[in-house]
């Protein structure tokens, strides 16, 4: 008798992610950092506990020990360290820029390997009917031309992370100006977290959707296959 895997399948929960990682920490930092409430240090620790615990829960429960997820947890811990050690706010701006910047560099490095990141994320048997697409490309003699398109899409993807890096730095320098370890610093940190979502996260998501659309149009244009022929079908 074969034993099935006990690891549950991960399902995206964007509303819970938004609530736990952004909304709750921001409210705690902005409303409970005063001396009459939790105080600057306690509020910062409580606010950071939500995204850290949620990220570790996701990593341990679904065994998704990937670079980006781990980097997210490290980023939150670094923010806490800057606040608790009362470092210059300049370090917060550097940290905010460094995290997406490192991801962008990792994306560029992947272009020097056999599998650019776009291929790892999208061009695989779980997402697309890779065998059908490859057969059609071979029939038309377009394999070499197609291989250049994911590479270009990977460069576009790296560009979205560098855009986030630049905007994170500008936003942190603009909003967070008070000394770390103070109630004002916490309030500004909470405000920056809220503002960063519509100003950075949403534009970055739109750019990524455009990249994925570009890749789909490329496959469709070179192969002539329809959407239902390109997308991988669930096993019967």
């Amino acid at each position: 008798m074969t034993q099935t895997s006990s690891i549950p399948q991960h399902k995206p929960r964007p509303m819970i992610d938004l609530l736990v990682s952004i909304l709750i920490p921001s409210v705690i930092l902005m409303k409970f950092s005063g001396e009459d409430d939790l105080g600057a240090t306690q509020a910062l620790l409580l606010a950071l506990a939500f995204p850290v615990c949620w990220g570790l829960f996701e990593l341990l429960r679904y065994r998704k020990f990937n670079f980006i997820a781990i980097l997210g947890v490290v980023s939150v811990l670094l923010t806490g360290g800057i606040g608790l050690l009362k470092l210059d706010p300049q370090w917060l701006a550097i940290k905010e820029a460094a995290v997406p910047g490192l991801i962008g560099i990792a994306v560029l490095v992947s272009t020097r390997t056999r599998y650019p990141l776009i291929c790892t994320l999208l061009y695989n048997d779980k997402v697309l009917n890779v065998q059908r697409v490859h057969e059609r490309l071979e029939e038309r003699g377009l394999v070499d031309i197609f291989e250049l398109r994911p590479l270009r899409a990977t460069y576009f993807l790296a560009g979205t992370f560098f855009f986030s890096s630049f905007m994170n730095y500008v936003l942190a320098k603009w909003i967070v100006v008070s000394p770390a370890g103070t109630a004002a610093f916490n309030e500004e940190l909470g405000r920056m977290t809220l503002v960063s979502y519509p100003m950075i996260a949403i534009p970055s998501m739109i750019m990524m959707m455009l990249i994925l659309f570009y890749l789909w149009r490329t496959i469709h244009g070179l192969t002539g296959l329809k959407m239902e022929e390109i997308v991988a079908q669930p096993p019967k």
Side-chain angles (χ1 to χ4, degrees):
M1 177 181 289
T2 60
Q3 187 175 2
T4 59
S5 175
S6 60
I7 301 175
Q9 185 177 4
H10 181 267
K11 295 181 180 179
R13 291 170 286 189
M15 293 307 297
I16 297 179
D17 291 338
L18 179 63
L19 182 67
V20 175
S21 300
I22 296 179
L23 295 181
I24 293 178
S26 296
V27 170
I28 292 173
L29 290 170
M30 295 170 64
K31 300 298 183 182
F32 298 98
S33 294
E35 293 300 327
D36 295 334
D37 298 304
L38 295 174
T41 301
Q42 299 299 326
L44 180 61
L45 288 173
L46 180 61
L48 295 176
F50 280 89
V52 168
C53 292
W54 179 248
L56 292 176
F57 168 78
E58 292 271 294
L59 290 172
L60 294 175
R61 179 169 175 78
Y62 299 107
R63 307 291 173 87
K64 297 290 183 178
F65 289 94
N66 60 72
F67 172 75
I68 295 178
I70 293 175
L71 198 58
V73 174
V74 171
S75 172
V76 175
L77 293 176
L78 287 175
T79 300
I82 292 170
L84 295 175
L85 296 176
K86 301 181 180 180
L87 302 179
D88 192 298
Q90 170 74 13
W91 288 104
L92 179 67
I94 294 173
K95 189 275 298 182
E96 290 294 315
V99 172
L102 288 173
I103 297 175
I105 292 172
V107 172
L108 287 180
V109 170
S110 76
T111 65
R112 299 296 181 181
T113 68
R114 293 180 58 191
Y115 304 102
L117 189 60
I118 282 289
C119 293
T120 303
L121 295 176
L122 184 66
Y123 195 64
N124 60 71
D125 293 329
K126 294 182 179 179
V127 180
L128 301 177
N129 190 340
V130 175
Q131 182 177 353
R132 182 75 179 93
V133 170
H134 190 72
E135 288 174 354
R136 181 60 64 91
L137 289 170
E138 284 189 328
E139 290 174 6
R140 298 187 171 190
L142 299 175
V143 175
D144 292 338
I145 295 177
F146 171 76
E147 288 179 350
L148 296 176
R149 305 299 174 85
L151 185 64
R152 186 183 302 172
T154 303
Y155 288 134
F156 292 155
L157 181 63
T160 65
F161 286 110
F162 292 134
F163 164 79
S164 295
S165 177
F166 173 75
M167 290 300 297
N168 277 351
Y169 183 84
V170 171
L171 204 61
K173 291 286 289 183
W174 174 41
I175 295 179
V176 184
V177 295
S178 298
T182 64
F185 173 85
N186 284 5
E187 292 172 7
E188 291 163 0
L189 182 60
R191 194 178 308 120
M192 183 193 73
T193 303
L194 282 178
V195 172
S196 67
Y197 189 75
M199 287 188 62
I200 299 174
I202 293 179
S204 297
M205 289 171 59
I206 292 174
M207 286 190 285
M208 288 186 183
M209 290 174 64
L210 291 174
I211 292 170
L212 295 180
F213 179 72
Y214 160 79
L215 196 58
W216 176 83
R217 284 291 302 271
T218 295
I219 295 174
H220 172 69
L222 293 177
T223 65
L225 297 173
K226 298 179 181 179
M227 173 69 79
E228 56 269 22
E229 296 177 293
I230 296 173
V231 177
Q233 300 299 318
K236 297 181 181 180

